[in-house]
Amino acid sequence: IVLSKSLVIGKGTNIKITSDGTKSITGTLTGSNYALIDVNVDSTLEIENVTINAGATADVLLRAFYISRNGHLILGEGTVVTGANTTSNGGAIYLKNSKLTVDGATISGNVTTKNGGAIHCEGVESKVVLKSGKIENNTSGTSNSGILMWEGVLDVYNTMEWANNLNSATGKNGDSLGFGSDVTFNMY
């Protein structure tokens, strides 16, 4: 599927997208748009075995997902999120007062000039659950090349893998997780 405009899922909608692992969703958006896919207002989007390629370029700055207003994004087995490039927080995923579940997905190859190359989370009502999968090869310009949890709850299971997330400001790997002012961090 090739999107020429942002896909908006809202107003209590629940959608599940699955494939045999050979399908993808990408964008041909022009200009600098907010996100390829926007999940908001009490809606849930579940994705399995699909590659989400934001399709960002030097001229088109775009993240893969923007989740807000009690939206819920579930990235399931075999899902890959890649190709995001933005000059604001949250290279691949920006989450505000909503929920993100990663259960078997890979978030890789995303870039931001600010914080959270893979994920930026804010809002005390937010929750990120990292059950299994990989967060790797993401880049941030300032800090926290993997995830910046500014506010909310972060649940991390020992089946998550982290690798080669780069802070381009320092040139160092390993800056994978950072915390802000109001975070509950649970390890399982």
Side-chain angles (χ1 to χ4, degrees):
I1 298 172
V2 178
L3 301 175
S4 61
K5 293 184 179 181
S6 294
L7 174 62
V8 179
I9 299 166
K11 298 184 180 177
T13 304
N14 297 306
I15 296 175
K16 183 173 183 177
I17 301 171
T18 63
S19 88
D20 60 3
T22 63
K23 306 300 184 223
S24 66
I25 298 173
T26 191
T28 60
L29 288 69
T30 57
S32 291
N33 293 278
Y34 217 52
L36 184 64
I37 301 172
D38 182 341
V39 181
N40 62 56
V41 189
D42 302 317
S43 297
T44 299
L45 173 61
E46 183 176 355
I47 302 172
E48 287 184 1
N49 292 311
V50 177
T51 296
I52 307 296
N53 185 334
T57 67
D59 297 324
V60 179
L61 301 176
L62 186 66
R63 71 174 46 91
F65 295 99
Y66 181 77
I67 313 161
S68 65
R69 300 186 292 175
N70 201 35
H72 185 189
L73 175 64
I74 303 166
L75 300 174
E77 193 66 42
T79 298
V80 177
V81 179
T82 190
N85 184 5
T86 184
T87 56
S88 59
N89 291 325
I93 301 168
Y94 184 94
L95 178 78
K96 186 170 185 177
N97 289 316
S98 294
K99 185 174 180 183
L100 169 66
T101 303
V102 177
D103 193 4
T106 298
I107 303 171
S108 178
N110 301 287
V111 178
T112 179
T113 59
K114 298 233 175 160
N115 299 301
I119 301 165
H120 177 88
C121 178
E122 65 181 61
V124 295
E125 300 298 318
S126 289
K127 184 170 186 177
V128 175
V129 179
L130 303 175
K131 289 185 176 181
S132 65
K134 296 178 184 177
I135 296 177
E136 62 185 9
N137 302 317
N138 298 287
T139 303
S140 67
T142 52
S143 65
N144 313 110
S145 50
I147 299 173
L148 176 59
M149 279 297 295
W150 192 251
E151 299 166 310
V153 175
L154 175 62
D155 292 345
V156 178
Y157 291 75
N158 66 359
T159 51
M160 278 301 296
E161 296 179 36
W162 310 75
N164 300 319
N165 293 296
L166 175 69
N167 179 334
S168 64
T170 64
K172 295 181 180 178
N173 285 326
D175 187 18
S176 291
L177 179 60
F179 297 101
S181 60
D182 191 9
V183 177
T184 301
F185 179 45
N186 302 306
M187 295 174 50
Y188 300 98

